[in-house]
Amino acid sequence: MILVVVEYANGKVSKSTYEMAGCARQLGREGPVTALVLGSGVAAIASEVALVFDQVLVADHADLAQYDAEVWAAAVAQIAREGEANTVLIGGSRSGREYSPRVAVKLDAPLLEDAISVVDANGTLTAERYTYLARVTEKVEADAPVVVVTIKQGAFTAAMPGNQVAEQFDVDLNLPQRRVQITGKATEKSSRIALTEADIVVSGGRGVGSAEGFATLVEGLADQLGAAVGATRAIVDAGWRPYQEQVGQTGKTVQPKAYIAIGISGAVQHLSGMSKSKCIVAINKDADAPIFKISDYGIVGDVNQIVPAMIAELQK
Amino acid sequence: MRILTLVRQVLDAEESVRIRDGEVDLNGSKLVVDTMDEYGVEQALRVRESGVEAEVIALAVGPERNQDALRTVLAMGADRAIHVMTELMLDPIFLSQVVAQVAQNENVELIFCGGQQADWDSHALGAATAERLQWPQITWTNGLEVHGQTLTGKHDAEDGSETFSVELPAVITTQQGLNEPRYPTVPNIMKAKKKELRVETLEQFHIGPKLKFLSAEVQAKTRLHKILDGKDAPAAAAELVRLLRHEARVIA
Ligand SMILES: Cc1cc2nc3c(=O)[nH]c(=O)nc-3n(C[C@H](O)[C@H](O)[C@H](O)COP(=O)(O)OP(=O)(O)OC[C@H]3O[C@@H](n4cnc5c(N)ncnc54)[C@H](O)[C@@H]3O)c2cc1C
């Protein structure tokens, strides 16, 4: 079987789950495309994914209420072994990329990490992935009875829910003891659309001047466009914005239809998180800023004048 | 306590990437210690300097030129270094076997490695190493303290930051924000030349690669570069909105 570990957040199935289903279908390897739902109180998630997969395995346990790399890896490896999976698909989220190497080691399997394409030729999987801060596309091959794959968000066409409802099965797991104690959590709830799921992202850098500048300019424009907001590391470090909004090497990778960069210089570490966006728009007062080199559209000017003028234009 | 810090030698982020014969060509380019790994080296030194009895061992796996990276780290203050020599390209699952074996041979209790490789953009090495050793791991760590056998600190998770506590032995993957890595001083660079740098060969480890590298290419998307002059802000803004609506069709 092809095993897909379902990703969800705040009670909603993530786009990446449908993308993994799409990837699994397009791969066309032997066996049912199987969803594995891990968590506590996940009945609704399981029913939702039943419209996309051939079968759904559900592990609904109180011990799975909180993610843990060792627990997740043990669960996924056990199910992969029991179901004789030939492929294990895991999302390219931060946690997916954290526990997937453990699954690969447990199964003595190769890991195709952060794939943007995967094809099967006579049982050998070939994947493409971005390397060198997303400047290079590399092709790698894995030839093994079982292969673990994590997929890059936004790279695969999502499978659409059909009208067939897959059967659900409860599974029993032998879970290890948690060794990492999470003693506190600082999450900022945002009413906006998630950064990695948005069609339009408006991001701000040091050029917005201050936290207040970000609110008026970046959030102001995002409100007009129904967009998600992003930030550079520079302003996250300065405490103007929460880390969840950071785009780049050490933040999120996004690939929206439009990425609008406001007062962002375009350091390679930032570009690695957004350079694959379909259309890139930059506003910067420095005509030589590197961000313009990868932009489709842009304005050389002061963000304090240009952005309010754009907001006014959109309100017309 | 023995601390192992992984050191990878990578292309300087400011250098452009060149491809030759389907592979990234590093000849003649500026190579540096992966910044992400430097945070680990610095943190290991800080643990030792905080009064914990510790020996800091740096490990690099790769071609001979990696010894430059190890000398840099010895000059930062690592006590000794191990270089596992190979010309092979190593995928992280493969590499983790080397790291885990070295950790066992050296009786290491704490391993630091960078959260994401600057060349292969991989996150896998720390977790794969931890799994081989049956140790817990903390990824994307940006705050760390050692109290006896307990590590506490702060790291980034899916949707925000978390504080944690874990017992040694453990693998910690590091990132920006953890510390400010020090620069080697000239006297320390001189001293580093006399420190132990032991060379081993990959053959000693009896392991094989998991992946085959087929090709690499630079695929830059062509961009339109329609950059407007913003001196007349309302006019430029109106034109940009028009282009995004009617030409690019990305906004309503
Ligand atoms: C290991 C490592 C990891 C990193 N990871 C990330 C990451 O994930 N994400 C990330 O973003 N960075 C990351 N960085 C940091 C990165 O190198 C840059 O420092 C950062 O992206 C710069 O942010 P910035 O563009 O906001 O600031 P700056 O580089 O200071 O640029 C500000 C820009 O605003 C423009 N400007 C100023 N005032 C105005 C105005 N009034 N109107 C118009 N334009 C104006 C300036 O011309 C300038 O181009 C990382 C660095 C390292 C070493």
Side-chain angles (χ1 to χ4, degrees):
Chain A
M1 71 179 184
I2 303 184
L3 184 64
V4 173
V5 188
V6 170
E7 289 202 319
Y8 57 89
N10 307 318
K12 261 189 65 200
V13 178
S14 307
K15 203 163 113 192
S16 60
T17 297
Y18 297 103
E19 291 168 356
M20 285 189 277
C23 171
R25 295 257 177 247
Q26 154 255 289
L27 253 181
R29 295 197 117 186
E30 203 180 303
V33 177
T34 305
L36 173 62
V37 185
L38 299 174
S40 174
V42 287
I45 301 286
S47 326
E48 208 178 322
V49 297
L51 299 172
V52 187
F53 289 89
D54 298 333
Q55 55 178 355
V56 182
L57 308 181
V58 189
D60 201 331
H61 294 297
D63 320 1
L64 292 170
Q66 198 184 30
Y67 162 79
D68 175 272
E70 289 181 88
V71 171
W72 252 240
V76 174
Q78 182 192 327
I79 299 296
R81 261 194 222 108
E82 287 172 2
E84 295 178 5
N86 51 38
T87 320
V88 180
L89 286 173
I90 295 173
S93 61
R94 183 151 281 188
S95 53
R97 293 188 70 182
E98 177 183 74
Y99 76 82
S100 54
R102 285 185 176 268
V103 177
V105 170
K106 281 182 195 292
L107 300 175
D108 193 26
L111 172 67
L112 293 172
E113 199 180 353
D114 219 21
I116 53 164
S117 79
V118 199
V119 288
D120 180 354
N122 305 319
T124 302
L125 288 191
T126 304
E128 286 181 301
R129 63 190 308 274
Y130 297 131
T131 60
Y132 287 85
L133 300 178
R135 290 175 292 174
V136 174
T137 307
E138 279 194 44
K139 207 179 254 179
V140 289
E141 187 184 277
D143 182 8
V146 52
V147 179
V148 178
V149 184
T150 62
I151 69 163
K152 185 156 211 93
Q153 284 168 358
F156 290 86
T157 310
M160 286 299 179
N163 37 29
Q164 294 274 356
V165 184
E167 206 174 334
Q168 296 186 22
F169 303 90
D170 287 327
V171 291
D172 284 324
L173 297 171
N174 306 315
L175 298 176
Q177 280 288 326
R178 279 166 198 262
R179 293 190 284 186
V180 177
Q181 304 307 322
I182 299 303
T183 49
K185 233 174 165 38
T187 36
E188 280 180 46
K189 280 264 172 292
S190 165
S191 53
R192 281 176 201 286
I193 173 165
L195 195 47
T196 50
E197 307 210 345
D199 280 340
I200 306 177
V201 173
V202 182
S203 278
R206 214 163 0 212
V208 303
S210 62
E212 295 70 38
F214 188 98
T216 347
L217 303 174
V218 180
E219 296 197 282
L221 185 59
D223 286 341
Q224 281 305 311
L225 297 170
V229 300
T232 64
R233 176 111 214 179
I235 72 166
V236 170
D237 284 348
W240 299 356
R241 301 304 299 177
Y243 169 70
Q244 294 98 280
E245 291 176 2
Q246 186 182 313
V247 173
Q249 183 191 4
T250 41
K252 295 210 165 71
T253 300
V254 298
Q255 209 172 357
K257 290 207 179 80
Y259 187 89
I260 305 178
I262 298 176
I264 293 177
S265 61
V268 279
Q269 295 90 352
H270 185 75
L271 301 187
S272 85
M274 47 64 74
S275 64
K276 308 297 172 188
S277 303
K278 292 199 184 62
C279 174
I280 296 176
V281 183
I283 298 158
N284 195 303
K285 69 176 180 193
D286 174 8
D288 296 324
I291 190 80
F292 284 125
K293 293 202 181 69
I294 64 151
S295 293
D296 294 290
Y297 301 96
I299 299 180
V300 178
D302 187 336
V303 293
N304 298 303
Q305 290 166 11
I306 305 294
V307 179
M310 282 179 74
I311 295 172
E313 183 66 27
L314 288 163
Q315 281 167 338
K316 273 186 192 166
Chain B
M1 160 164 65
R2 281 185 172 163
I3 307 175
L4 187 67
T5 85
L6 202 81
V7 176
R8 296 185 70 263
Q9 190 187 39
V10 297
L11 187 68
D12 186 302
E14 301 304 321
E15 293 263 319
S16 53
V17 191
R18 278 177 294 113
I19 307 285
R20 227 179 105 205
D21 301 330
E23 268 182 46
V24 175
D25 179 13
L26 298 177
N27 280 318
S29 296
K30 185 174 173 207
L31 302 177
V32 294
V33 175
D34 195 333
T35 324
M36 289 276 196
D37 291 333
E38 272 182 342
Y39 300 120
V41 175
E42 176 64 34
Q43 199 62 33
L45 299 176
R46 290 189 187 193
V47 171
R48 193 185 63 195
E49 286 160 3
S50 73
V52 176
E53 179 108 28
E55 185 186 27
V56 178
I57 309 168
L59 168 68
V61 184
E64 191 167 1
R65 53 175 167 72
N66 278 255
Q67 289 177 15
D68 298 341
L70 287 173
R71 288 288 170 206
T72 305
V73 168
L74 289 171
M76 284 174 74
D79 295 300
R80 61 188 170 94
I82 301 170
H83 176 211
V84 178
M85 184 108 75
T86 176
E87 294 290 329
L88 278 183
M89 258 195 28
L90 303 173
D91 68 87
I93 300 294
F94 179 20
L95 180 56
S96 69
Q97 301 191 55
V98 182
V99 182
Q101 283 186 32
V102 170
Q104 272 171 333
N105 295 344
E106 298 289 339
N107 276 318
V108 160
E109 276 184 283
L110 175 59
I111 300 179
F112 287 108
C113 82
Q116 178 176 6
Q117 302 173 342
D119 50 2
W120 221 54
D121 287 9
S122 172
H123 298 190
L125 183 60
T129 303
E131 180 63 32
R132 291 197 189 281
L133 294 164
Q134 301 285 311
W135 291 3
Q137 99 230 29
I138 303 282
T139 51
W140 299 101
T141 312
N142 47 19
L144 189 73
E145 280 178 50
V146 182
H147 314 272
Q149 286 297 109
T150 308
L151 300 178
T152 59
K154 191 161 80 61
H155 83 133
D156 288 329
E158 205 72 68
D159 52 358
S161 110
E162 291 175 344
T163 52
F164 65 83
S165 159
V166 68
E167 298 295 304
L168 287 170
V171 175
I172 299 286
T173 81
T174 53
Q175 67 152 322
Q176 202 188 22
L178 181 59
N179 54 45
E180 265 321 311
R182 69 195 68 185
Y183 289 104
T185 59
V186 177
N188 285 342
I189 293 172
M190 301 310 290
K191 261 193 251 166
K193 291 189 177 146
K194 298 202 191 79
K195 288 185 181 172
E196 178 187 319
L197 193 165
R198 192 170 87 221
V199 181
E200 300 189 357
T201 62
L202 190 66
E203 289 67 43
Q204 287 167 249
F205 291 85
H206 306 291
I207 50 174
K210 286 278 179 212
L211 293 182
K212 201 161 123 194
F213 293 86
L214 300 180
S215 64
E217 58 182 307
V218 174
Q219 277 179 343
K221 199 168 173 297
T222 27
R223 296 288 176 182
L224 297 172
H225 301 297
K226 293 197 180 173
I227 311 299
L228 313 170
D229 184 341
K231 272 196 206 82
D232 181 350
E239 175 61 3
L240 180 60
V241 168
R242 190 190 68 78
L243 287 168
L244 295 180
R245 267 191 188 136
H246 302 294
E247 190 179 274
R249 301 213 172 106
V250 289
I251 65 173

